[in-house]
Amino acid sequence: DVKVTQSSRYLVKRTGEKVFLECVQDMDHENMFWYRQDPGLGLRLIYFSYDVKMKEKGDIPEGYSVSREKKERFSLILESASTNQTSMYLCASSPPGTGVYEQYFGPGTRLTVT
Amino acid sequence: AQSVTQLDSQVPVFEEAPVELRCNYSSSVSVYLFWYVQYPNQGLQLLLKYLSGSTLVESINGFEAEFNKSQTSFHLRKPSVHISDTAEYFCAVSVTGGFKTIFGAGTRLFVKA
């Protein structure tokens, strides 16, 4: 059974803190993605990676960075958390290809920044 | 660039009634189309997808969607819903040669007893 796991289901952080969200997949997928999900806005792509050490900005990368040192792990970093980054964060992975493959999602991390 | 519009943010329906969740997309190139479902407190999972061939695609739990190229639509239907179908449904589109999938804003289906 394919699996994408995220390090925390719920996280509460203070404004200005550095926050790490971890994602691990066991499907040997090349592609990995970070999204944030907000009511009425659907999923918005923050960053994606198509190979180890490779990363590409998505639609809303400001305030975020990513790290992919190993194929199975993709980390999202909030350098200095702000209240407008309170959201649900979803990680996903997919095989390499040209858009034809579906994405496999983790359960999400609900981050609250106070 | 591609875009996806889900025309209803919420759809309340009684159990055993039929339902249609509407999705329209915009793209200047050929697309692949997906419906994902998100049950409460879970991540998204694939419900069904259209890649090519027959324009009517079905899921294992009774949902179906029809690709209509002339109307640029990919509406999701089920002839008789169950309480357990209560979830949020996302329409999504990707293109050949692209890494990105564009998601709609989602439709909350609420099935009432």
Side-chain angles (χ1 to χ4, degrees):
Chain A
D1 195 19
V2 298
K3 206 153 191 178
V4 179
T5 56
Q6 296 183 229
S7 51
S8 305
R9 291 300 302 273
Y10 301 93
L11 209 53
V12 180
K13 295 292 182 181
R14 293 193 181 276
T15 301
E17 280 192 83
K18 192 168 186 176
V19 182
F20 293 87
L21 302 182
E22 301 281 333
C23 175
V24 177
Q25 51 97 1
D26 65 359
M27 296 165 281
D28 201 35
H29 285 167
E30 276 74 8
N31 298 335
M32 296 189 75
F33 308 83
W34 275 107
Y35 296 90
R36 64 177 282 176
Q37 181 182 9
D38 299 289
L41 297 178
L43 277 68
R44 292 180 291 168
L45 182 64
I46 305 171
Y47 268 95
F48 68 97
S49 168
Y50 52 89
D51 202 352
V52 175
K53 297 192 186 294
M54 305 303 289
K55 60 185 179 184
E56 293 285 341
K57 292 181 180 179
D59 300 314
I60 53 165
E62 295 77 19
Y64 304 94
S65 62
V66 291
S67 173
R68 191 159 180 210
E69 297 296 320
K70 293 185 177 181
K71 189 176 185 179
E72 68 270 18
R73 190 179 298 270
F74 192 34
S75 303
L76 179 70
I77 303 154
L78 286 66
E79 296 291 343
S80 177
S82 64
T83 55
N84 63 11
Q85 292 177 310
T86 291
S87 186
M88 171 70 88
Y89 290 87
L90 293 170
C91 175
S93 71
S94 75
T98 56
V100 69
Y101 295 107
E102 66 264 32
Q103 295 182 14
Y104 295 84
F105 284 83
T109 295
R110 187 166 294 281
L111 173 67
T112 302
V113 182
T114 62
Chain B
Q2 294 75 44
S3 66
V4 178
T5 302
Q6 291 185 242
L7 295 153
D8 307 291
S9 60
Q10 295 187 69
V11 175
V13 63
F14 284 103
E15 193 174 20
E16 298 183 6
V19 71
E20 178 180 79
L21 307 184
R22 297 178 293 167
C23 172
N24 286 96
Y25 69 92
S26 172
S27 177
S28 58
V29 298
S30 295
V31 297
Y32 304 117
L33 294 157
F34 305 83
W35 276 99
Y36 287 84
V37 59
Q38 185 180 33
Y39 297 105
N41 298 314
Q42 296 185 27
L44 279 70
Q45 55 188 279
L46 182 72
L47 188 61
L48 48 76
K49 61 184 177 182
Y50 171 78
L51 303 180
S52 64
S54 172
T55 57
L56 185 66
V57 290
E58 299 177 351
S59 74
I60 57 172
N61 58 352
F63 283 93
E64 64 179 31
E66 186 160 20
F67 169 55
N68 188 318
K69 189 174 182 179
S70 62
Q71 297 187 3
T72 60
S73 68
F74 191 54
H75 301 331
L76 182 70
R77 302 183 181 95
K78 190 171 185 180
S80 176
V81 294
H82 302 290
I83 297 286
S84 59
D85 293 323
T86 293
E88 188 156 21
Y89 293 79
F90 293 90
C91 183
V93 61
S94 63
V95 299
T96 302
F99 289 101
K100 292 170 61 174
T101 297
I102 308 300
F103 289 85
T107 298
R108 286 190 178 275
L109 175 64
F110 180 58
V111 182
K112 300 177 285 187

